[in-house]
Amino acid sequence: MSILCVGSVALDSVETPFGKAERVPGGSAVFFTAAASLLSPVRVVGVVGDDYPDEALDFLAERGADLSGIEHRKGESFFWAGRYDFDLNSRDTLETRLGVFGDFRPKIPDSFRSSRIVFLGNIDPDLQHDVLARVESPDLVACDTMNFWIEGKRDRLVSLLEKVDILLINDSEARQLAGEANLLKASRWIQAHGPEMVVVKKGEHGAILFSEDGVFFVPGYPLEALADPTGAGDAFAGGFLGYLSRAGAVDPEHLRRAMVYGSAMGSYAVEAFSVDRFRELTQDEVATRVVEFRRMTSFEIPTEAPQHV
Amino acid sequence: MSILCVGSVALDSVETPFGKAERVPGGSAVFFTAAASLLSPVRVVGVVGDDYPDEALDFLAERGADLSGIEHRKGESFFWAGRYDFDLNSRDTLETRLGVFGDFRPKIPDSFRSSRIVFLGNIDPDLQHDVLARVESPDLVACDTMNFWIEGKRDRLVSLLEKVDILLINDSEARQLAGEANLLKASRWIQAHGPEMVVVKKGEHGAILFSEDGVFFVPGYPLEALADPTGAGDAFAGGFLGYLSRAGAVDPEHLRRAMVYGSAMGSYAVEAFSVDRFRELTQDEVATRVVEFRRMTSFEIPTEAPQHV
């Protein structure tokens, strides 16, 4: 199965306590594809200006990602500059220049329209609606969003939810969207508005899947050497949907594994600036980390529990 | 095996967005015992004034907790008043009156000195030293602390660590104690100063055990109805050590289960004010919640993983 991914293709300048990087590849579509392409074919739709170093994404094409849906336009690529605090949990945006992304209208190549899985990266909900209108009955539609759209285009976002199977969203944004501080209730609110499944991303604290199967937790992978958390959420989505695409099924057991692949991919995003950690990453390394997740979370319950004497 | 628990026996006045309670039983020793006594015999050492409603703790004695080490003195019991914010993650202390707890010198009854497991609740590290000096070679010494002692009695706390097998501590306090923002490195620092095991408590995000066996995560139990988070950390410690006491072994598999019992007991503390949720709590209810934890965290890895085609 192929995944259609629509999102930003950006240049980021990032400073963290552990280093800095200037004008390196970023954006939701790039992080998503860097992770998902290790597991599944991906078709990318986005836009770049004439300043974009296309060769920086060659490794994605070599891995089978179809980048023919990335439109090249005259002008500047979407640029974001940010700085992270000591604990990497809060960041300041130093500069945002939309460039050619400012009037981005996703153009879905005909050959992409039959994609079975669709990932609507964090872009204007109007554009997310447009993309869905142009794909033929996909099996699975997943969507990300952020506070900017929750505040600015709430109605369009809520009407989009009716067409979405899985919403991936940060914990604070899930609360904001639902107007509900309790995460269980917030996810129920979201599920009542469309998505059968809600993935709540909690950064270093992991992620929670709410579905008909109940609640499933995956922790964040404990890292000793962190570099830059930018893109971890999109890499999570890439691992999650990449796994489901590879598995070819969306049942409870596959969804659990997809969460673990998501968290593993999110951790790789944090280990280096930009998508650098994904360049040489192998499927074997990912499989090894997934086994580590199992070791970090599994426990047995003896049939005969010892009694209090 | 019996657990010796030394800590505060307090009266709390607590206000949360979900209600309030006036002068209700609280304190580290009370929350610890409320949880641990469901799983193991507990011997409690503390002090109360003549205003303490002793009958409020009768349910602990009925469950086999030995309260004969709670000294009764003329004067006021330790009193704490606090108010929690909307998200329950931050709280303001409105009032603290130490009362008879101000010059508390733990008196360990002779019959308690042979306890195999010792829990040093969050009190002055000097007193924690004193308690350890008065018990005969216990099998397992666990200890809690807080920022107040990390800042005010750092040297005494660090020298205590040499005698401690398990430190239970909040994530922010683990970072503060080690002077290290990275939690993996912080726990290594702590382990290098004595405790073979470190349990980092992260509130709603669960807890992490660092040990020779590696890293083990347990999530927080997702609650729809929260009342008051006061005492959740001490109830966690009670579930954790209560389980180990009942199991009579401290091997990796038992430690994992102990973490789950800890998180389960922490969740009960949050479900009601004071120790009210523990009054009627049964071992069967706890066992059912432990099974739910397994369901919320377990996943299988197929021997033959599907390949990317």
Side-chain angles (χ1 to χ4, degrees):
Chain A
M1 290 212 276
S2 257
I3 306 172
L4 171 63
C5 161
V6 183
S8 57
V9 180
L11 289 174
D12 292 343
S13 285
V14 184
E15 199 177 329
T16 80
F18 310 104
K20 57 197 272 186
E22 299 276 348
R23 294 178 66 77
V24 289
S28 59
V30 171
F31 277 102
F32 178 91
T33 305
S37 62
L38 263 161
L39 303 165
S40 161
V42 184
R43 296 156 169 176
V44 188
V45 169
V47 63
V48 294
D50 43 24
D51 58 350
Y52 208 83
D54 294 328
E55 68 285 356
L57 303 183
D58 283 352
F59 78 106
L60 299 176
E62 281 159 21
R63 222 179 252 163
D66 185 338
L67 307 182
S68 64
I70 299 181
E71 186 187 353
H72 286 68
R73 286 180 48 192
K74 241 189 146 60
E76 196 190 9
S77 299
F78 180 27
F79 173 77
W80 176 78
R83 185 165 48 206
Y84 289 84
D85 270 1
F86 185 51
D87 71 354
L88 297 182
N89 284 326
S90 62
R91 73 181 182 190
D92 292 322
T93 288
L94 303 177
E95 194 178 350
T96 304
R97 295 200 304 270
L98 291 177
V100 297
F101 190 67
D103 55 357
F104 174 46
R105 308 293 299 182
K107 292 189 181 66
I108 314 294
D110 283 346
S111 61
F112 286 13
R113 297 187 61 223
S114 60
S115 302
R116 304 318 307 153
I117 299 180
V118 176
F119 176 65
L120 303 170
N122 167 31
I123 56 174
D124 186 328
D126 281 325
L127 303 184
Q128 293 176 316
H129 273 281
D130 288 352
V131 170
L132 279 191
R134 280 182 240 163
V135 291
E136 299 158 6
S137 57
D139 297 323
L140 196 66
V141 176
C143 168
D144 195 356
T145 193
M146 70 183 295
N147 52 0
F148 185 75
W149 308 118
I150 296 171
E151 289 154 21
K153 293 217 176 177
R154 183 180 174 77
D155 290 348
R156 291 296 283 161
L157 180 59
V158 170
S159 75
L160 180 75
L161 292 181
E162 292 167 26
K163 305 171 189 168
V164 165
D165 301 299
I166 307 181
L167 180 68
L168 297 111
I169 190 167
N170 288 340
D171 50 352
S172 63
E173 289 160 353
R175 292 181 165 109
Q176 185 185 12
L177 174 59
E180 170 58 58
N182 183 288
L183 218 46
L184 256 182
K185 291 183 186 169
S187 67
R188 287 227 191 91
W189 185 97
I190 294 168
Q191 288 173 292
H193 285 76
E196 212 173 292
M197 291 161 272
V198 180
V199 175
V200 174
K201 300 175 289 181
K202 303 197 297 172
E204 62 170 320
H205 301 301
I208 316 179
L209 169 68
F210 297 93
S211 72
E212 285 183 351
D213 184 44
V215 174
F216 178 75
F217 288 90
V218 64
Y221 185 80
L223 290 170
E224 193 162 353
L226 297 84
D228 170 16
T230 307
D234 295 304
F236 184 106
F240 181 82
L241 292 178
Y243 177 81
L244 289 179
S245 172
R246 187 174 85 169
V250 189
D251 55 55
E253 193 51 47
H254 281 112
L255 282 165
R256 286 162 181 253
R257 273 179 232 147
M259 289 289 287
V260 178
Y261 274 84
S263 192
M265 292 297 189
S267 70
Y268 291 122
V270 179
E271 283 187 31
F273 283 86
S274 183
V275 286
D276 285 355
R277 183 65 179 86
F278 293 97
R279 293 180 185 278
E280 308 295 331
L281 187 64
T282 66
Q283 290 197 33
D284 277 354
E285 285 178 279
V286 179
T288 301
R289 188 157 290 187
V290 166
V291 171
E292 288 183 78
F293 271 95
R294 187 156 199 287
R295 198 177 147 69
M296 293 189 306
T297 58
S298 71
F299 67 98
E300 299 304 322
I301 303 170
T303 327
E304 285 288 304
Q307 292 305 305
H308 174 197
V309 281
Chain B
M1 291 212 277
S2 257
I3 307 172
L4 170 63
C5 161
V6 182
S8 56
V9 180
L11 289 173
D12 292 343
S13 286
V14 185
E15 198 178 329
T16 80
F18 310 104
K20 58 196 273 184
E22 299 277 348
R23 294 178 67 76
V24 289
S28 59
V30 171
F31 277 102
F32 178 91
T33 305
S37 62
L38 263 161
L39 304 165
S40 161
V42 183
R43 295 156 169 175
V44 187
V45 169
V47 63
V48 294
D50 43 24
D51 57 349
Y52 208 83
D54 295 327
E55 69 286 356
L57 303 183
D58 283 351
F59 78 107
L60 299 176
E62 281 158 23
R63 225 180 249 162
D66 185 339
L67 307 182
S68 65
I70 300 182
E71 186 187 354
H72 286 69
R73 286 179 50 192
K74 243 189 145 59
E76 195 190 9
S77 299
F78 180 26
F79 173 76
W80 176 79
R83 185 165 48 205
Y84 288 84
D85 271 0
F86 185 51
D87 70 354
L88 297 183
N89 283 325
S90 62
R91 72 180 182 192
D92 292 323
T93 288
L94 302 177
E95 192 177 353
T96 304
R97 294 200 304 271
L98 292 178
V100 296
F101 189 68
D103 55 357
F104 175 46
R105 308 292 299 180
K107 292 189 182 65
I108 314 292
D110 284 345
S111 61
F112 286 13
R113 296 186 62 222
S114 60
S115 302
R116 305 318 307 151
I117 300 181
V118 177
F119 176 65
L120 303 169
N122 168 32
I123 56 175
D124 185 329
D126 281 325
L127 302 183
Q128 294 175 318
H129 274 280
D130 288 352
V131 170
L132 279 191
R134 281 180 240 164
V135 291
E136 299 158 4
S137 58
D139 297 323
L140 195 66
V141 175
C143 168
D144 194 357
T145 192
M146 70 182 294
N147 52 0
F148 184 75
W149 307 118
I150 295 171
E151 288 153 22
K153 293 217 176 177
R154 182 180 174 79
D155 290 350
R156 291 296 283 160
L157 180 60
V158 171
S159 76
L160 180 75
L161 292 181
E162 291 167 26
K163 305 170 189 168
V164 165
D165 301 299
I166 306 180
L167 180 68
L168 297 112
I169 190 167
N170 287 339
D171 51 351
S172 63
E173 288 160 354
R175 292 181 163 108
Q176 185 185 13
L177 174 59
E180 170 58 57
N182 183 287
L183 218 47
L184 256 183
K185 291 182 186 169
S187 67
R188 288 226 192 91
W189 185 96
I190 294 168
Q191 288 173 293
H193 285 76
E196 212 174 290
M197 292 162 271
V198 180
V199 175
V200 174
K201 298 175 290 181
K202 303 197 297 173
E204 62 169 322
H205 301 301
I208 317 179
L209 169 68
F210 297 92
S211 73
E212 284 183 352
D213 184 44
V215 175
F216 178 75
F217 287 91
V218 64
Y221 185 80
L223 290 171
E224 194 163 351
L226 297 84
D228 170 15
T230 307
D234 294 305
F236 184 105
F240 181 82
L241 292 178
Y243 176 81
L244 290 178
S245 173
R246 187 173 84 167
V250 189
D251 55 55
E253 193 51 46
H254 282 111
L255 282 166
R256 287 162 180 253
R257 272 179 235 149
M259 289 289 287
V260 179
Y261 274 84
S263 193
M265 293 296 190
S267 70
Y268 291 122
V270 179
E271 283 187 30
F273 283 85
S274 182
V275 287
D276 285 354
R277 183 65 179 87
F278 293 97
R279 293 180 185 276
E280 308 294 331
L281 187 64
T282 65
Q283 291 197 34
D284 277 353
E285 285 179 278
V286 180
T288 301
R289 188 158 289 188
V290 166
V291 171
E292 287 183 78
F293 271 95
R294 186 154 199 287
R295 198 177 149 68
M296 294 189 306
T297 58
S298 71
F299 66 98
E300 300 304 323
I301 302 169
T303 327
E304 286 287 307
Q307 293 303 306
H308 174 195
V309 281

